[in-house]
């Protein structure tokens, strides 16, 4: 066979291989596309349901606070039925009890107070666009509330109910909803209805804040289909619609997501995959062409060497892309994490990883025996296994056991891995960890560094049935845990001296109080100075975990509108610590009462001041501290309201501190260094 015939035969075979590769690639692409499309829809449904549930909870809590206020005012109305003039004071107190109540009215049945005429409806509240509270008697021929739905159904109901949205021409002169409760006399007969008015804007701020996708919209409607809050724009094209009923409020949330948003990531991924496939095909053509040419040019060795070098460069990029590079978002309030990897060759056998799930930081660092491509491949497998196993398990010994089993079953060359794996509770600083023959981490506390006393278990990949034991330690705010591979302590200089454990401890102690990235940068520089111009003998990998604080803080100015930030703050706190949301409305009411008084009275009028709020978990208590630098004032010395005394004989004030003491389990006041400090505890152990 001539060389020319051999060339064409070889080319034909290569072309057949390319066609087969294209067919396989097309099939894989189709499967990939439909799988990702299905997964995109599943993720969108999960996110939509979660978002709607959270939004429903926020609306329920906000409306529930109004219900709590009205429910607490109802006994006062029934107690003072013999004094019609007292109804104005009670209505005013209802409005003052919550910044979200626009107005309150008490409507009585026909001729209940003969001296007041047929209609008697004392109303106190704000009108839209006006900051001054007005007191009026609304009932009359022009406002015959006897014929109105809210009064008729309120008189007939056994408990409180919310009205459908309506425009109030008489009282608030705004689009609103009302929560009403029947009023009963001493014989149990219903004699009237107490109403608290809330503008639709109160709910619109929550609904309009839902931005799940760039062009998704959220609307609020009644069960009967009446619109309450509508989005400013209507999504275009085909959409998916999700809904969630607001429990007990006759309302429904409607979330609309355009297909263009839902599958946007799929389109980008598909485009990337197609480009990658085309690049692969072109690469295959190029390799085939070069192979044919090499039949005549006898430079196969050089071509293979170049190909291997290119592959190693790509492998290094892929390996680096496996390392975590994203910020920890909200978890950054609790922990500062940074990692560093410097391979000795193109690719290395070290690995580290970390991410946050369900309020916990999951992390690992490992060192694969050997160097080069085999070690890098085993490292990639171990990294993938860590992510997969820790996604559904947070027990370090269980994860390590599964890792060892998988590595041992697919390890014909008997390569092994040393690994340190931990799970840190961000709210407490407690770390449960497991050590599979890895170097003991360095603990930096109060400027001192020492090796963590660990009991290493068997290396990964040696014995499939090896058992692993989890241990526990706790970091306090300011502590740093430095994890490393032996590329740190065994770094060699030209004289073959080792960097050693003492230099590692000294460097950790010197830089341990710095942010994680700065720590690692300084330690690497210290190693580089020691090694000087000697060739790097081993991969260098570092992972720094610096615990910041378990306390959640909020700073407000003395502006009454700042109270709107309290509810999202508590929602985040309860969600992060997995607390029972049923406890949230009462805690929110107590804190809102304290903060409202501090904002309004702690500082002189026209003077700007701050109110600092901090919350944390202490055993089975919620511990809250409120501080201000206003005039010295001990609210606990205020005389509490006596509900047994007739309304006209009661002293002004005292109801707020009565509510706070009823809700919280313990309240303490102190004047510390010019600060008013109010500490409150609420137990959640029985919830």
């Amino acid at each position: 066979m001539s060389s020319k015939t051999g060339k064409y035969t070889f080319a034909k075979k290569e072309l057949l291989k390319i066609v087969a590769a294209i067919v396989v690639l097309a099939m894989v692409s189709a499967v990939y596309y439909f799988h990702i499309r299905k997964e995109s829809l599943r993720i969108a449904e999960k996110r939509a349901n979660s978002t709607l549930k959270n939004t429903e909870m926020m609306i329920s809590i906000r409306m529930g606070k109004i219900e709590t206020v009205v429910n607490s005012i109802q006994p006062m109305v029934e107690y003072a039925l013999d004094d019609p003039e007292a109804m104005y004071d009670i209505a005013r107190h209802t409005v003052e009890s919550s910044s979200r109540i626009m107005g309150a009215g008490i409507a009585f049945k026909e001729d209940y107070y003969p001296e007041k005429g047929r209609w008697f409806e004392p109303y106190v509240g704000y009108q839209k666009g006006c900051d001054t509270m007005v007191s009026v008697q609304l009932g009359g021929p022009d406002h015959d509330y006897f014929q109105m739905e809210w009064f008729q159904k309120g008189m007939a109901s056994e408990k409180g109910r919310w009205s459908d949205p309506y425009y109030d021409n008489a009282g608030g002169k705004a689009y609103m909803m009302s929560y009403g409760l029947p009023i009963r006399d001493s014989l149990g007969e219903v004699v009237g209805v107490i109403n608290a008015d809330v503008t639709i804007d109160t709910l619109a701020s929550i609904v309009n804040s839902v931005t799940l996708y760039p062009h998704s919209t959220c609307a609020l409607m009644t069960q009967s289909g009446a619109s309450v809050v509508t989005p400013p724009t209507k999504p275009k094209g085909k959409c998916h619609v999700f809904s969630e009923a607001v429990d007990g409020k006759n309302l429904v949330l409607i979330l609309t997501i355009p297909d263009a948003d839902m599958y946007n990531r799929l389109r980008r991924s598909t485009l990337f995959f197609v480009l990658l496939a085309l690049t692969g095909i072109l690469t295959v053509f190029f390799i085939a062409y070069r192979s044919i040419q090499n039949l005549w040019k006898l430079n196969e060795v050089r071509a293979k060497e170049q190909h291997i070098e290119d592959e190693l460069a790509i492998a290094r990029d892929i390996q680096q892309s496996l390392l975590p590079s994203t910020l920890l978002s909200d978890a950054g309030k609790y922990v500062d994490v940074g990692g560093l990897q410097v391979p000795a060759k193109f690719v290395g056998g070290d690995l580290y990883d970390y991410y946050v799930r369900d309020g916990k930081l999951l992390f690992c660092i490992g060192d694969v025996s050997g160097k080069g491509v085999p070690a890098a491949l085993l490292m990639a497998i171990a990294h993938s296994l860590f992510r997969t196993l820790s996604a559904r398990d947070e027990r370090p010994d269980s994860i390590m056991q599964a890792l060892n089993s998988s590595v041992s079953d697919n390890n014909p060359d008997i390569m092994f891995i040393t690994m340190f794996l931990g799970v840190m509770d961000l709210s407490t600083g407690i770390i449960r960890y497991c050590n599979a023959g890895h170097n003991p981490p360095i603990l930096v506390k109060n400027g001192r560094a020492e090796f963590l006393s660990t009991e290493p278990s068997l290396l990964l990949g040696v014995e499939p049935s090896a058992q692993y034991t989890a241990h526990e330690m706790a970091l306090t705010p300011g502590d740093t845990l430095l994890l490393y591979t032996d590329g740190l302590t065994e770094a060699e200089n030209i004289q073959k001296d080792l960097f050693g454990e003492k230099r590692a401890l000294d460097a950790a102690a010197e830089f341990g109080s710095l942010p994680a990235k700065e720590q690692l940068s300084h330690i690497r520089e210290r190693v580089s100075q020691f090694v000087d111009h000697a060739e790097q003998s081993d991969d260098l990998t570092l992972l720094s975990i610096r615990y910041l604080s378990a306390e959640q803080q909020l700073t407000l100015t003395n502006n009454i509108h700042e109270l709107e930030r309290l509810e999202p703050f508590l929602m985040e706190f309860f969600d992060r610590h997995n607390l029972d949301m049923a406890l949230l409305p009462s805690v929110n009411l107590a804190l809102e009462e304290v903060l409202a008084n501090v904002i309004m009275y702690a500082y002189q009028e026209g003077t700007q001041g701050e109110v600092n709020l901090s919350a944390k978990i202490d055993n089975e208590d919620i511990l809250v501290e409120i501080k201000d630098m206003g005039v010295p004032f001990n609210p606990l010395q205020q005389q509490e309201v006596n509900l047994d005394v007739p309304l006209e004989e009661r002293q002004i004030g005292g109801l707020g501190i009565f509510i706070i003491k009823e809700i919280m389990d313990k309240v303490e006041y102190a004047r510390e260094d010019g600060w008013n400090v109010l500490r409150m505890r609420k137990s959640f152990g029985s919830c």
Side-chain angles (χ1 to χ4, degrees):
M1 183 184 291
S2 66
S3 61
K4 187 174 183 180
T5 303
K7 172 188 175 183
Y8 289 139
T9 302
F10 181 82
K12 184 177 181 180
K13 290 181 179 179
E14 293 302 312
L15 287 174
L16 288 174
K17 291 179 182 178
I18 292 171
V19 171
I22 292 174
V23 172
V24 172
L25 186 61
M27 295 175 62
V28 172
S29 299
V31 173
Y32 169 84
Y33 177 85
F34 287 108
H35 172 73
I36 296 300
R37 182 180 177 88
K38 182 179 179 181
E39 186 66 13
S40 298
L41 177 59
R42 187 189 68 81
I43 292 174
E45 290 177 344
K46 184 176 180 181
R47 293 183 62 194
N49 291 332
S50 176
T51 300
L52 286 173
K53 196 65 180 177
N54 289 336
T55 306
E56 183 271 337
M57 187 180 300
M58 293 178 66
I59 292 176
S60 294
I61 290 173
R62 182 161 291 185
M63 298 177 75
K65 287 162 52 180
I66 305 302
E67 296 173 2
T68 301
V69 171
V70 177
N71 290 340
S72 65
I73 297 299
Q74 180 196 36
M76 299 176 63
V77 177
E78 294 177 346
Y79 183 84
L81 283 176
D82 58 346
D83 185 0
E85 296 302 324
M87 300 304 153
Y88 290 97
D89 293 335
I90 294 174
R92 180 179 296 275
H93 180 70
T94 304
V95 177
E96 292 174 346
S97 296
S98 174
S99 59
R100 293 192 176 90
I101 296 179
M102 185 177 184
I106 308 172
F108 292 89
K109 68 179 184 179
E110 185 175 356
D111 292 324
Y112 183 73
Y113 294 107
E115 69 274 18
K116 296 296 183 179
R118 181 185 179 192
W119 298 274
F120 184 56
E121 183 187 4
Y123 179 89
V124 177
Y126 300 94
Q127 293 184 341
K128 187 173 184 180
C130 181
D131 293 330
T132 303
M133 194 182 300
V134 299
S135 299
V136 295
Q137 200 287 105
L138 292 181
D142 295 332
H143 183 67
D144 186 3
Y145 57 83
F146 300 137
Q147 309 304 318
M148 296 180 181
E149 177 197 26
W150 62 264
F151 182 78
Q152 293 175 352
K153 291 187 176 180
M155 291 287 289
S157 66
E158 293 295 328
K159 57 182 180 179
R161 61 178 300 276
W162 283 91
S163 70
D164 286 342
Y166 66 96
Y167 187 84
D168 183 13
N169 283 314
K173 299 186 183 302
Y175 194 50
M176 62 177 62
M177 296 176 65
S178 298
Y179 177 72
L181 272 175
I183 303 299
R184 302 178 184 275
D185 61 15
S186 59
L187 299 178
E189 182 182 356
V190 178
V191 298
V193 178
I194 176 172
N195 268 330
D197 299 336
V198 180
T199 64
I200 298 302
D201 292 341
T202 299
L203 304 181
S205 62
I206 298 177
V207 177
N208 292 334
S209 67
V210 177
T211 54
L212 188 60
Y213 288 90
H215 302 96
S216 63
T217 61
C218 189
L220 185 64
M221 305 179 66
T222 65
Q223 294 281 9
S224 59
S227 177
V228 180
V229 178
T230 57
T233 59
K234 184 178 180 180
K236 298 179 180 179
K238 186 177 179 180
C239 299
H240 278 73
V241 179
F242 305 89
S243 64
E244 179 73 25
V246 181
D247 186 29
K249 305 296 186 295
N250 193 32
L251 298 173
V252 180
L253 283 162
I254 307 294
L255 180 61
T256 305
I257 304 175
D259 278 11
D261 279 359
M262 186 180 298
Y263 299 121
N264 185 43
R265 183 178 179 184
L266 173 61
R267 290 196 297 271
R268 294 199 307 266
S269 300
T270 303
L271 178 61
F272 173 80
F273 191 85
V274 170
L275 293 176
L276 186 63
L278 291 175
T279 302
I281 293 171
L282 292 175
T283 302
V284 172
F285 271 108
F286 174 75
I287 294 173
Y289 172 78
R290 289 296 302 269
S291 299
I292 295 172
Q293 295 299 313
N294 288 342
L295 288 174
W296 292 339
K297 296 180 180 180
L298 300 178
N299 61 353
E300 293 180 355
V301 175
R302 183 178 178 182
K304 289 180 181 179
E305 289 177 349
Q306 182 62 46
H307 178 67
I308 292 173
E309 189 171 320
D310 291 342
E311 292 285 334
L312 287 173
I314 295 172
R316 179 171 184 169
D317 293 339
I318 294 174
Q319 186 180 46
Q320 290 296 313
S321 69
L322 293 176
L323 301 177
S325 59
T326 57
L327 299 176
L328 295 180
S329 62
D330 290 342
K333 301 175 183 178
Y334 300 96
V335 67
D336 180 17
V337 185
L340 171 71
Q341 186 180 80
V342 185
K345 305 295 181 183
F346 267 98
V347 290
D350 284 1
L351 70 127
Y352 76 85
D353 195 10
Y354 62 85
Y355 69 99
V356 171
R357 176 174 68 82
D358 300 331
K360 293 180 174 59
L361 174 71
L362 297 97
F363 62 91
C364 72
I365 188 169
D367 187 356
V368 181
S369 61
K371 301 178 180 64
V373 175
L377 290 175
L378 187 55
M379 181 278 285
I381 293 172
H383 176 274
S384 177
L385 286 171
F386 167 74
R387 279 281 175 151
T388 302
L389 296 170
S390 61
R392 58 176 183 268
D393 195 349
E394 58 186 38
R395 297 169 297 169
D397 50 343
S398 175
I399 298 173
M400 196 76 86
Q401 180 74 35
L403 264 169
N404 176 66
S405 177
S406 296
V407 172
S408 300
D409 290 342
N410 300 278
N411 190 13
D413 297 326
I414 315 181
M415 300 177 68
F416 60 83
I417 306 173
T418 68
M419 180 177 286
F420 188 95
L421 187 152
V423 179
M424 178 181 182
D425 189 328
L426 296 177
S427 65
T428 62
I430 294 176
I431 298 177
R432 298 189 73 249
Y433 63 88
C434 192
N435 186 2
H438 197 75
N439 307 85
I442 297 175
L443 176 62
V444 183
K445 181 185 288 289
N446 300 324
R448 296 171 59 94
E450 60 181 14
F451 289 107
L452 182 66
S453 179
T454 65
E455 297 180 10
S457 302
L458 192 64
L459 311 173
L460 298 179
V462 177
E463 172 55 51
S465 60
Q467 298 298 313
Y468 295 88
T469 304
H471 302 278
E472 188 173 291
M473 63 170 297
L475 296 183
T476 58
D479 290 353
T480 294
L481 189 66
L482 178 65
L483 300 97
Y484 59 92
T485 59
D486 52 17
L488 173 66
T489 54
E490 297 180 7
E492 293 182 350
N493 60 15
I494 297 176
Q495 291 77 30
K496 300 297 181 180
D497 295 328
L498 299 180
F499 189 74
E501 295 182 349
K502 185 178 185 308
R503 290 187 180 88
L505 287 173
D506 292 342
E510 182 176 352
F511 307 121
S513 60
L514 297 176
K517 288 189 176 180
E518 294 184 29
Q519 291 178 38
L520 303 184
S521 177
H522 284 296
I523 293 174
R524 179 183 181 184
E525 180 63 27
R526 183 65 57 85
V527 173
S528 298
Q529 292 174 358
F530 172 81
V531 171
D532 200 8
H533 297 293
E535 182 181 357
Q536 185 176 343
S537 59
D538 199 358
D539 303 331
L540 172 63
T541 301
L542 303 171
L543 177 62
S544 174
I545 301 172
R546 185 165 179 263
Y547 189 47
L548 302 178
S549 174
E551 186 175 75
Q552 189 170 328
Q553 297 181 340
L554 177 67
T555 299
L556 309 175
T557 61
N558 57 330
N559 184 322
I560 196 66
H561 297 294
E562 289 279 82
L563 287 177
E564 296 179 0
R565 299 171 58 195
L566 174 62
E567 186 176 302
F569 171 83
L570 288 178
M571 286 285 292
E572 179 183 354
F573 180 79
F574 270 62
D575 183 62
R576 176 172 290 122
H577 295 286
N578 296 316
L579 299 177
D580 187 352
M581 286 295 179
L583 195 62
L584 180 57
S586 60
V587 173
N588 189 84
L589 178 62
L591 295 184
E592 191 174 75
E593 180 70 29
V594 175
L595 292 172
N597 280 279
V598 173
I599 288 173
M600 296 175 63
Y601 305 116
Y603 297 96
Q604 294 182 356
E605 187 174 354
T607 302
Q608 186 171 351
E610 289 186 350
V611 185
N612 296 328
L613 169 65
S614 64
K616 65 179 181 180
I617 300 299
D618 184 16
N619 294 324
E620 292 190 345
D621 289 351
I622 300 173
L623 179 58
V624 180
E625 184 177 270
I626 299 176
K627 299 174 62 176
D628 68 84
M629 296 191 71
V631 296
F633 178 72
N634 183 356
L636 303 182
Q637 294 179 348
Q638 290 291 103
Q639 183 176 355
E640 296 182 8
V641 66
N642 186 354
L643 298 179
D644 295 328
V645 176
L647 184 65
E648 63 274 10
E649 298 179 12
R650 295 181 196 166
Q651 295 184 357
I652 297 176
L655 182 59
I657 193 63
F658 172 79
I659 293 174
I660 294 168
K661 288 183 175 180
E662 284 293 312
I663 293 175
M664 307 304 284
D665 296 320
K666 187 175 182 181
V667 184
E668 297 177 330
Y669 168 82
R671 182 74 178 179
E672 299 176 355
D673 299 327
W675 291 83
N676 289 311
V677 182
L678 190 66
R679 296 184 178 92
M680 298 182 288
R681 285 181 178 270
K682 180 65 177 179
S683 174
F684 60 84
S686 60
C687 293

